[in-house]
Amino acid sequence: MSETHPFDAGTAHKFFSTENFNKTWDYIERSNRSPEEDLAMLHTAIASLWHWTQRDDATSENLSVGHWQVSRVYNLIKQPNNARRYGLLALQHAQDLGAFLKGYAYETLARAEMGSGNRVAMYYYLEKAREMASQIIDEEDRHLLLKDLETIR
């Protein structure tokens, strides 16, 4: 039985993947989020990622970034186990991609380990992220990653 919709599903996935991604960034950039906004931030990040997984044109880069964003949100709301899970998925999708995406996958994993109190793993991932940063050719991208890595202690 074929299901018909009063809209084009592909167009809807394209719209909601980017719309929710951008809404999530708006929440991430707020300095004082309420608990309700934290929950909305999590929901928009997961919704964005899900819509990306439904797109025919989704690439490993899109999926790595989407998993990274969900991991970042879990780090922000202090759920390191979930952050680790999505960080590992970001790294998995970034394996055949450039140093920038791999560096950020390691960055979010270092953050997750920092949040869980696992200093050994945190330093391991932090060092891997720094190795990736040293391979980034674009100076602005390299600086962005290194600046984020400075916040992990």
Side-chain angles (χ1 to χ4, degrees):
M1 178 176 197
S2 177
E3 189 175 339
T4 60
H5 303 285
F7 56 86
D8 175 69
T11 301
H13 290 308
K14 285 181 181 182
F15 174 80
F16 287 114
S17 60
T18 52
E19 179 73 11
N20 284 304
F21 183 86
N22 292 332
K23 280 183 183 180
T24 302
W25 270 116
D26 290 342
Y27 285 118
I28 287 172
E29 291 175 347
R30 291 183 190 172
S31 56
N32 295 322
R33 286 180 308 277
S34 68
E36 294 79 15
E37 289 170 323
D38 279 349
L39 193 57
M41 176 176 62
L42 176 62
H43 290 165
T44 57
I46 291 172
S48 172
L49 176 58
W50 183 80
H51 283 287
W52 271 109
T53 68
Q54 303 306 298
R55 289 177 59 161
D56 293 335
D57 63 343
T59 64
S60 292
E61 180 176 348
N62 302 132
L63 298 176
S64 180
V65 170
H67 284 94
W68 173 86
Q69 189 183 57
V70 172
S71 179
R72 181 60 163 257
V73 167
Y74 274 124
N75 277 315
L76 289 170
I77 64 173
K78 299 181 182 6
Q79 292 187 23
N81 291 334
N82 287 322
R84 183 184 306 110
R85 175 178 297 124
Y86 282 91
L88 289 169
L89 290 167
L91 182 60
Q92 178 183 328
H93 286 286
Q95 279 309 305
D96 296 326
L97 303 175
F100 182 77
L101 292 175
K102 284 189 268 191
Y104 264 102
Y106 286 126
E107 173 268 344
T108 199
L109 287 165
R111 254 179 230 292
E113 298 305 341
M114 179 177 69
S116 68
N118 187 345
R119 308 289 287 171
V120 172
M122 181 194 82
Y123 285 121
Y124 169 79
Y125 287 128
L126 193 53
E127 183 57 32
K128 297 295 278 182
R130 286 185 181 130
E131 286 176 25
M132 291 298 106
S134 72
Q135 297 174 29
I136 297 172
I137 296 168
D138 184 89
E139 189 175 324
E140 188 176 323
D141 286 347
R142 184 175 56 254
H143 177 72
L144 184 64
L145 177 57
L146 289 171
K147 185 178 176 188
D148 281 338
L149 295 178
E150 289 173 5
T151 65
I152 301 172
R153 299 183 171 84

